[in-house]
Amino acid sequence: HRCVTITLPEWATDETMYEKEYKTDEDRMALAIQLSAKNVEEGTGGPFGCAIFERDVATGITKLFSVGINRVVPMNNCTLHGETVAIQMAQSKLRCYSLGKAGQENPVSKVEYDLYTSCEPCVMCLGATLWSGVTRLVCGATKDDAQAIGFDEGPVYESSYEHLRQAGIEVKKGVLQKEAAAVLKRYGEVGEIYNGS
């Protein structure tokens, strides 16, 4: 094959998500958690959701820019985690390999991109976050929450997050952690745990 296609289920392309106002970290995280819960409910992937918001640096106003959900099992692709799907959708929309570069070159005003993920990223998604050009990473559930149901998040340490901070990415953890962890727990009871073996 010469082409890999990444698709979202129809429910995840609902344009009304983009029309809503998301004023706080909790509002934006609630969307990421809603995406993860709906993904489990609909049987369209694993229990991880992500939303990237475009933030006007001058005004602080944010708007939803892209969403991603875990598509590993339905698309037979181990790299399609919520974060990587949201990043790829955003970069495709911008036609740019770096959200940071695109934000600096915005002709209207300088914008930055904030990534909200329903669970702290695995090792692959931490790397993708570093290279994506986002300026902020906000997490819901913890690595321990994901590992408690059997997921192997890989070698992720506090020093991994320190590396992101040193690269200029603000990190905030534990936003609506209990709500996000509840989705993981529910998936642990009904879904397939995939770790590459």
Side-chain angles (χ1 to χ4, degrees):
H1 289 81
R2 294 182 177 195
C3 178
V4 175
T5 301
I6 301 167
T7 60
L8 294 172
E10 190 172 325
W11 66 261
T13 61
D14 180 3
E15 288 299 317
T16 60
M17 285 189 292
Y18 292 85
E19 297 164 5
K20 291 183 181 175
E21 201 171 345
Y22 303 91
K23 291 185 175 183
T24 66
D25 280 343
E26 289 75 17
D27 291 342
R28 294 183 280 271
M29 181 57 68
L31 175 61
I33 295 168
Q34 176 188 337
L35 290 165
S36 67
K38 184 79 167 172
N39 210 29
V40 172
E41 179 186 316
E42 295 291 329
T44 49
F48 304 97
C50 183
I52 295 178
F53 289 84
E54 182 181 77
R55 180 172 35 83
D56 185 297
V57 174
T59 65
I61 295 172
T62 65
K63 63 180 181 179
L64 179 61
F65 194 75
S66 74
V67 299
I69 51 173
N70 180 288
R71 300 287 283 153
V72 170
V73 173
M75 299 204 76
N76 297 306
N77 186 329
C78 68
T79 68
L80 297 183
H81 291 196
E83 297 93 334
T84 58
V85 171
I87 289 166
Q88 290 177 74
M89 294 296 182
Q91 290 175 340
S92 176
K93 190 174 183 178
L94 288 168
R95 298 183 181 273
C96 187
Y97 62 88
S98 167
L99 301 178
K101 180 180 188 317
Q104 295 292 329
E105 296 173 354
N106 186 312
V108 179
S109 64
K110 183 180 173 201
V111 295
E112 293 181 342
Y113 295 88
D114 302 338
L115 187 152
Y116 288 75
T117 178
S118 64
C119 185
E120 293 174 358
C122 70
V123 66
M124 176 182 70
C125 292
L126 273 175
T129 299
L130 172 65
W131 298 316
S132 69
V134 299
T135 53
R136 197 157 182 257
L137 168 66
V138 183
C139 310
T142 67
K143 171 186 174 182
D144 290 342
D145 293 328
Q147 291 184 160
I149 65 166
F151 282 110
D152 180 353
E153 299 299 277
V156 177
Y157 310 105
E158 189 48 44
S159 59
S160 307
Y161 290 98
E162 189 52 39
H163 189 90
L164 293 180
R165 290 181 188 100
Q166 289 174 7
I169 300 170
E170 179 189 337
V171 176
K172 184 175 181 179
K173 296 181 182 182
V175 176
L176 301 181
Q177 182 268 333
K178 287 186 174 89
E179 293 87 337
V183 176
L184 291 172
K185 187 173 188 290
R186 190 162 54 252
Y187 182 81
E189 296 163 358
V190 299
E192 180 179 349
I193 305 296
Y194 43 85
N195 287 317
S197 56

